[in-house]
Amino acid sequence: MVDLQSKPFHLSPEDIRWVHSTLASMDLDSKLGQLLFPVGSTTDRTELVGLLNGIKPSGFMFPAGPAAERQELHRFLQERSELPLLLAANLEFGGNGIAKEGTFFAKPMQVAATDDGQQAYRLGLTAGREGAGVGVNWTFAPIVDIDYNPRNPITNTRTFGSDPERVARMALGYARGIWESGLAVSVKHFPGDGVDDRDQHLGESINSLPVEEWEGSYGQVYRKLIEAGAETIMVGHIKLPAYSRHLRPGLADEHIMPATLAPELLGPLLRERLGFNGLVLTDASTMAGFMIAEKRSVAVPGTIAAGCDILLFSHNIEEDFSYLREAVRDGRLSLERVEEAVTRILALKASLGLHRRHQTGTLVPEPAALAVIGLKQHTEWARECADLSVTLVRDTNKLLPIDPVRQKRVLLVVIGDEGRRQTLPDRYKLLVDKLEREHFLVTLLKEQESWPNKQKLSIAELQERFDWALYFVNLETDCTMPSLRIHWSPPMGTDLPWFAQELPTVFLSVANPYHHAEVPRSAVLINGYSGNVYVIEAAMDKILGRSKFKGIHPVNPFD
């Protein structure tokens, strides 16, 4: 049974009647359709209408696009859907998670580097306002993974760091801003990523903490978010062997499954021990961590039977729908379990008031609401967050500040920054512009390019041509990259700072905070955590001595 009056739904008697009457009016196929939540892989109106009239999914998540186009698309879908739709976005860093013109406020680790909960609240408020402006009602955030392992290629700056207390405090601040904007949150990725160095996009990840350590870290974080009223929790394709064995003594290694297929983690742990009454959804079921764990015909109904209420994304939505229908027919998935899941889906919609706004045609705001995208207040907040977060890891030889008069000639070496998955590619161009506005003479060396004159300069030539060197590194997490290590150019790393003892060298990373391992002898190392314009400008002001470094270390940068 689902308690609709209690946290997190808090439904009125009228809302409860809508949930029950809607459920009673649905046939089996309509109920099964609600369990599916596709990614918006097409904007073709004919295909989308066919999906709305056929499968009837509970909602959609579209990637970021032009704000006006996304708003119009959301309006089109809501106007043609029999039931109000949940429209989600990954609003992890700001409004840019749904609108290309949206504010890139900060990566979570950058916010954590301020150690100021107000900055987390502003991130949530910025993301929530801008998401609501285009019709989003659900954010797949906050991320409450804990970045215990520096080699994890996917958590990293997407987390609020390695301190569970700070992670919880920042996540609560973010959630407060989202709730103030009228959206629901989805706390992710249960039971917690960041312990191993695997990526669930590429395979099953493993949280290897003993029960007591998990309870004192991830468990405490989830308890605080659940107590605060988190409406939904996203479950990762992450194994938690110690707790699975604790709840199912004698469980063989080969039977330990990722949480999305582990009933002991979704029922006895999440529902009972943690007391979560809200909606549970899987992380993307197209990830290898889910796809390789079990035959898909077994896994799709299996994750619902295990306790997830929504299957996120589909390899083939018609095929997944057929797997659900067949499982109900042969008894592997009970009608009672289906109706429990659909009840929670409808309850989430009702808790957001979507059923009432559906009747009045106000689920998506008018075009004038797009004025909130990139709002001046949001960019001013982002600029302040950057100033408070940029962190000086070391300045061993007291090279800073750089004098633009005496040290005018700079060699700028760019590493990364052009990957297909960059939040914003070619950030180095902002740096070049900033340097040239300060009247520096910039010589650019990009990754995989040759040195001037097609060879390495001699030490004497190097010192004759340049006053200092600035490394700009933007290597972001990427779900297809198993490592965040720097891959220096062949032969023998021609672009690495081999001259660190010969020329003043400043190393600025606006992504991975663990690059100390790559450049242990670089005299100056600075972490910015986000490759947005605000961080780049703040970092340069600090390099030039116009602003103090204020950021703290959310992780151990020397790990």
Side-chain angles (χ1 to χ4, degrees), residues 146-416:
I146 305 173
D147 203 46
Y148 283 135
N149 192 328
R151 290 177 296 280
N152 188 297
I154 200 66
T155 53
N156 206 272
T157 54
R158 293 179 70 211
T159 76
F160 289 111
S162 59
D163 176 12
E165 185 280 328
R166 184 179 292 115
V167 169
R169 177 160 46 92
M170 295 294 167
L172 287 168
Y174 173 92
R176 186 163 59 91
I178 289 293
W179 289 328
E180 193 172 309
S181 307
L183 280 66
V185 302
S186 187
V187 184
K188 63 186 186 184
H189 308 82
F190 182 83
D193 206 351
V195 174
D196 68 355
D197 60 0
R198 299 174 179 87
D199 176 0
Q200 58 173 317
H201 295 83
L202 307 178
E204 299 163 326
S205 186
I206 298 175
N207 186 322
S208 58
L209 293 185
V211 170
E212 295 78 11
E213 290 186 28
W214 186 90
E215 282 285 357
S217 53
Y218 293 92
Q220 287 304 309
V221 173
Y222 275 96
R223 281 188 168 86
K224 290 177 181 178
L225 270 296
I226 291 169
E227 177 61 28
E231 299 95 340
T232 77
I233 288 177
M234 181 182 289
V235 179
H237 315 304
I238 304 168
K239 295 181 180 181
L240 188 60
Y243 231 126
S244 286
R245 291 192 183 99
H246 177 70
L247 295 169
R248 296 177 63 187
L251 185 65
D253 287 352
E254 62 268 24
H255 294 148
I256 294 174
M257 298 295 282
T260 38
L261 294 166
E264 71 278 3
L265 300 181
L266 300 177
L269 178 54
L270 182 56
R271 293 291 188 199
E272 297 172 21
R273 297 195 176 198
L274 298 185
F276 184 59
N277 182 51
L279 183 146
V280 176
L281 72 155
T282 73
D283 202 344
S285 70
T286 50
M287 291 180 180
F290 186 83
M291 295 286 286
I292 67 176
E294 181 58 273
K295 290 181 179 179
R296 194 163 183 91
S297 59
V298 175
V300 168
T303 191
I304 304 298
C308 289
D309 302 309
I310 284 179
L311 180 84
L312 185 62
F313 307 164
S314 286
H315 185 64
N316 179 294
I317 194 166
E318 289 81 11
E319 190 174 54
D320 285 350
F321 182 83
S322 71
Y323 292 150
L324 291 170
R325 181 190 283 163
E326 184 62 30
V328 172
R329 287 175 178 170
D330 65 23
R332 286 177 292 133
L333 179 59
S334 70
L335 180 59
E336 180 183 16
R337 173 69 197 108
V338 170
E339 292 186 341
E340 178 190 23
V342 176
T343 297
R344 283 197 170 90
I345 295 166
L346 295 174
L348 176 62
K349 295 180 179 185
S351 71
L352 293 168
L354 302 187
H355 58 317
R356 290 187 292 273
R357 291 161 55 196
H358 192 239
Q359 294 175 345
T360 60
T362 56
L363 281 167
V364 178
E366 294 300 314
L370 295 176
V372 76
I373 306 297
L375 193 68
K376 182 179 179 181
Q377 183 184 48
H378 298 168
T379 59
E380 289 176 347
W381 285 348
R383 187 168 284 107
E384 179 183 329
C385 182
D387 177 61
L388 294 173
S389 60
V390 174
T391 308
L392 181 63
V393 178
R394 64 169 179 266
D395 181 9
T396 52
N397 296 331
K398 304 301 180 185
L399 295 179
L400 300 181
I402 296 293
D403 185 337
V405 175
R406 292 187 304 103
Q407 297 167 289
K408 183 180 291 290
R409 301 168 303 169
V410 55
L411 171 64
L412 176 61
V413 185
V414 179
I415 305 296

Side-chain angles (χ1 to χ4, degrees), residues 54-196:
I55 299 292
K56 299 180 182 178
S58 54
F60 293 87
M61 189 193 89
F62 287 88
E69 291 182 13
R70 284 293 173 264
Q71 188 195 64
E72 190 277 329
L73 178 61
H74 289 159
R75 182 178 296 107
F76 176 89
L77 292 168
Q78 293 287 25
E79 288 176 349
R80 286 157 181 79
S81 178
E82 182 179 329
L83 292 175
L85 296 167
L86 294 166
L87 295 175
N90 279 330
L91 302 177
E92 299 174 3
F93 316 145
N96 63 329
I98 186 62
K100 287 188 174 179
E101 312 94 315
T103 304
F104 179 5
F105 187 94
K107 297 285 186 71
M109 191 174 286
Q110 182 197 330
V111 170
T114 71
D115 202 30
D116 181 0
Q118 180 72 358
Q119 299 301 321
Y121 162 73
R122 287 178 174 179
L123 169 60
L125 190 59
T126 298
R129 283 174 173 175
E130 297 190 8
V134 297
V136 168
N137 50 48
W138 191 12
T139 174
F140 290 161
I143 295 174
V144 297
D145 297 324
I146 305 173
D147 203 46
Y148 283 135
N149 192 328
R151 290 177 296 280
N152 188 297
I154 200 66
T155 53
N156 206 272
T157 54
R158 293 179 70 211
T159 76
F160 289 111
S162 59
D163 176 12
E165 185 280 328
R166 184 179 292 115
V167 169
R169 177 160 46 92
M170 295 294 167
L172 287 168
Y174 173 92
R176 186 163 59 91
I178 289 293
W179 289 328
E180 193 172 309
S181 307
L183 280 66
V185 302
S186 187
V187 184
K188 63 186 186 184
H189 308 82
F190 182 83
D193 206 351
V195 174
D196 68 355

Side-chain angles (χ1 to χ4, degrees), residues 397 399 457-464 466-469 497-505 521-523:
N397 296 331
L399 295 179
L457 302 181
S458 68
I459 299 299
E461 290 172 322
L462 185 78
Q463 294 173 333
E464 181 180 347
F466 304 110
D467 300 310
W468 65 296
W498 49 270
F499 46 77
Q501 301 298 329
E502 314 290 348
L503 190 72
T505 301
R521 291 292 183 180
S522 179

